[in-house]
Amino acid sequence: MCAYRVVIVWCCTLLVTVGAQSCAEEHWEVVHRRLGTKTPYRHVFREVERNPVELEGCRVTKTWGLFRHGTRNPKTEVIDAMHRDLVEIRNEILQHKRLCRRELELFRAWTPARLDPDSDEKLLVGEGADELREIGRRFRRRYARALPERYNSKDFYFKFTKTERAEYSARNFSLGLFGVEEDIQFPEALAKDPVLRFYKLCERWRLDIKHNPEASHEVNLWYKSKIMKQQIKHVSKKIGTYLDADSIYLIYQTCAFETAWTKRHVSPWCLLLDRYTFEALVFGEDLEYYWIDGYGHELTYAQACSAFRDLFERFDNEDGTKEAFTFYFTHSGTLLKAMAFLGLYRDDFPLTHRDFERKRQWRVSEIDAFATNLVFTKLECSNETKVLLTHQERPVPIPGCSQPGQTLCSYEDFRQLFRERIESCAFEGMCAPQNVPKREEL
């Protein structure tokens, strides 16, 4: 199948007048890096001035990367709500005419994306294909001296989960990497992959955390807070009709998807939300992912030892039986758990609904956008073997390993830092179902 295969999205962000276009463009700074896990990669990517892997006295010997799939369509429930609930809200907007003329023009022109809830849910879109293809091109440019020009199964290992969006992310990345479509030998894709989607195999995590209502306790408290009630009231007043929290969140989701789909426009639904409302909604997502996929429960990130065991097996392999360049294409849940396993973006306090005003590192709009990537590079240097970690293609220190202000880490120090957790990675034992624990008071 062709690597160019994407879903064409008929986006509602087609702007009908010059005035309407400027209205959306004025909102650019408001939505930038405030779209949660639906943030497009172009909002978070920043080119580095110096090539981080071209270091004097060092040569690249191996890489191991986790890549989240690119921008996709919404899930079925959201597509249904866009076609049903959002159309009703649009009609209320046009009826009450509370918005400025330029904004009303946008909503008159708006129609829901032409998506079939059954066949189009979560499929990779054109922007998602572009994201991965461009990442592949930049990877080729940075690693050119180390990478073979053409694909061969001895040097390269590609794998994706059993989803369309992960498969075509892999295919588009490889297209960018090699410049042409290669006949890549992909292993069998698994819905429950022990490396790419280990949490699907962790029944205890699924019961005690993923599907445990208590895990959403902080999010629920946030949506009942005075600040969120004020924001719901604020948006309702702007439209001219009462909206509940679910409707406000649907507007936010639609704003995010429609903005992510198209490079040059901002969705008209974003215009209903000001900077403070965005911050409040983003904080709700930060809370949700902190407690489900992040630092909220030790089991959540401890189970990622299954993936990092694979990294060390490949990096420590010296007999040539393991490929030198490993590329895994997966999902948000894997990337966030991997970051928590590494200790990245960890604040010195547990994130709760009371922390809206506090400065924090855990911001999913920045750390878990579409096409988010974590890449480890092993380098043989003149004095010792080192390891480099990049996140969103920029070097980041490995917590507990790198010296302050430095991103290169001794590979031996890196191995020692994680040795105990990797060697004691009793995945089946930690993931065996147990009694659901009661939530500790914070």
Side-chain angles (χ1 to χ4, degrees):
M1 299 176 72
C2 179
Y4 289 106
R5 185 249 191 252
V6 295
V7 175
I8 297 175
V9 177
W10 294 90
C11 185
C12 68
T13 53
L14 296 175
L15 306 179
V16 296
T17 67
V18 173
Q21 184 169 349
S22 65
C23 185
E25 289 173 349
E26 290 167 2
H27 224 59
W28 163 253
E29 289 299 328
V30 178
V31 304
H32 187 63
R33 297 197 181 202
R34 291 187 177 90
L35 300 177
T37 60
K38 309 306 180 288
T39 299
Y41 192 68
R42 64 183 184 273
H43 284 201
V44 301
F45 171 69
R46 292 175 295 154
E47 187 65 81
V48 292
E49 294 181 3
R50 296 177 56 189
N51 187 341
V53 300
E54 283 193 350
L55 302 168
E56 187 175 352
C58 298
R59 65 181 180 87
V60 173
T61 58
K62 295 186 180 182
T63 68
W64 186 93
L66 293 175
F67 298 80
R68 185 188 174 194
H69 59 76
T71 295
R72 61 166 172 80
N73 285 335
K75 61 183 179 181
T76 294
E77 294 84 349
V78 176
I79 295 174
D80 283 335
M82 286 178 171
H83 289 179
R84 181 187 64 248
D85 302 337
L86 216 57
V87 169
E88 292 181 6
I89 295 172
R90 188 273 315 271
N91 293 341
E92 293 281 355
I93 289 171
L94 296 179
Q95 178 183 343
H96 293 287
K97 299 180 180 179
R98 294 282 189 94
L99 304 181
C100 71
R101 181 174 59 83
R102 293 183 300 167
E103 292 170 335
L104 288 173
E105 288 174 351
L106 288 174
F107 283 104
R108 287 193 187 96
W110 180 86
T111 55
R114 298 177 184 176
L115 299 175
D116 183 278
D118 297 322
S119 59
D120 292 332
E121 77 153 344
K122 295 187 176 182
L123 298 185
L124 194 74
V125 301
E127 177 65 10
D130 288 347
E131 288 166 339
L132 271 297
R133 198 157 49 241
E134 289 304 313
I135 293 173
R137 286 172 181 157
R138 290 191 294 269
F139 198 98
R140 163 62 63 181
R141 191 164 64 243
R142 294 193 192 104
Y143 289 80
R145 295 181 182 179
L147 289 173
E149 185 175 344
R150 297 266 67 84
Y151 166 78
N152 67 79
S153 59
K154 180 182 178 182
D155 292 319
F156 293 97
Y157 185 72
F158 289 82
K159 195 176 187 185
F160 49 79
T161 65
K162 198 173 183 178
T163 61
E164 186 270 359
R165 58 194 181 278
E167 175 180 351
Y168 285 99
S169 291
R171 293 185 183 279
N172 279 281
F173 175 87
S174 67
L175 181 59
L177 188 66
F178 299 113
V180 296
E181 286 193 54
E182 296 276 14
D183 185 17
I184 294 174
Q185 297 178 24
F186 293 106
E188 179 187 1
L190 304 174
K192 298 180 179 181
D193 192 293
V195 175
L196 278 68
R197 229 175 181 182
F198 46 84
Y199 51 93
K200 292 285 187 178
L201 293 162
C202 191
E203 191 63 18
R204 182 183 168 199
W205 175 80
R206 291 172 61 79
L207 292 173
D208 292 6
I209 300 171
K210 173 70 172 178
H211 298 302
N212 181 0
E214 280 293 299
S216 301
H217 182 73
E218 291 296 332
V219 180
N220 294 334
L221 288 176
W222 173 242
Y223 271 90
K224 294 176 183 177
S225 70
K226 182 179 179 181
I227 292 175
M228 275 306 302
K229 288 179 179 178
Q230 288 174 337
Q231 296 314 301
I232 293 170
K233 182 178 180 180
H234 170 69
V235 178
S236 297
K237 184 177 180 180
K238 184 172 184 176
I239 292 175
T241 188
Y242 173 75
L243 299 176
D244 59 16
D246 289 340
S247 296
I248 300 294
Y249 190 66
L250 175 61
I251 288 171
Y252 171 65
Q253 284 185 300
T254 305
C255 157
F257 276 113
E258 292 184 348
T259 299
W261 287 336
T262 310
K263 285 185 175 68
R264 292 175 297 278
H265 300 309
V266 172
S267 167
W269 292 99
C270 302
L271 305 179
L272 302 179
L273 312 173
D274 61 21
R275 186 182 299 268
Y276 195 79
T277 307
F278 267 108
E279 291 289 354
L281 289 163
V282 166
F283 181 66
E285 280 213 23
D286 290 343
L287 279 173
E288 177 186 353
Y289 287 97
Y290 180 91
W291 288 99
I292 299 297
D293 290 315
Y295 290 107
H297 304 272
E298 184 178 358
L299 172 63
T300 298
Y301 55 89
Q303 60 177 310
C305 64
S306 177
F308 284 96
R309 183 165 52 194
D310 180 85
L311 182 153
F312 285 104
E313 287 175 355
R314 290 181 175 277
F315 272 22
D316 289 341
N317 176 262
E318 300 297 340
D319 62 7
T321 58
K322 297 285 187 181
E323 299 85 353
F325 303 101
T326 302
F327 304 110
Y328 290 134
F329 298 86
T330 180
H331 305 268
S332 170
T334 303
L335 269 297
L336 287 175
K337 293 176 184 69
M339 290 179 213
F341 182 87
L342 294 167
L344 292 171
Y345 312 110
R346 185 167 198 164
D347 298 294
D348 58 5
F349 56 89
L351 195 63
T352 75
H353 69 284
R354 305 182 188 95
D355 298 317
F356 177 57
E357 301 290 348
R358 295 182 75 172
K359 184 177 180 180
R360 66 187 187 279
Q361 298 181 70
W362 185 265
R363 292 180 175 273
V364 295
S365 299
E366 298 184 10
I367 67 175
D368 189 36
F370 283 126
T372 280
N373 48 87
L374 285 172
V375 178
F376 290 85
T377 301
K378 187 178 180 183
L379 301 112
E380 294 295 341
C381 300
S382 55
N383 54 345
E384 66 178 329
T385 304
K386 295 185 179 290
V387 64
L388 171 74
L389 170 62
T390 60
H391 177 219
Q392 318 295 39
E393 303 177 67
R394 298 180 68 85
V396 294
I398 299 171
C401 185
S402 306
Q403 296 296 320
Q406 297 182 1
T407 51
L408 274 185
C409 175
S410 160
Y411 183 64
E412 187 56 34
D413 290 346
F414 177 61
R415 291 178 75 253
Q416 290 300 323
L417 181 63
F418 294 100
R419 169 174 284 175
E420 183 177 348
R421 281 192 281 171
I422 297 301
E423 290 181 352
S424 63
C425 182
F427 185 85
E428 292 184 2
M430 76 171 76
C431 287
Q434 298 179 6
N435 293 329
V436 177
K438 293 183 179 179
R439 179 180 180 276
E440 295 180 4
E441 292 300 324
L442 298 171

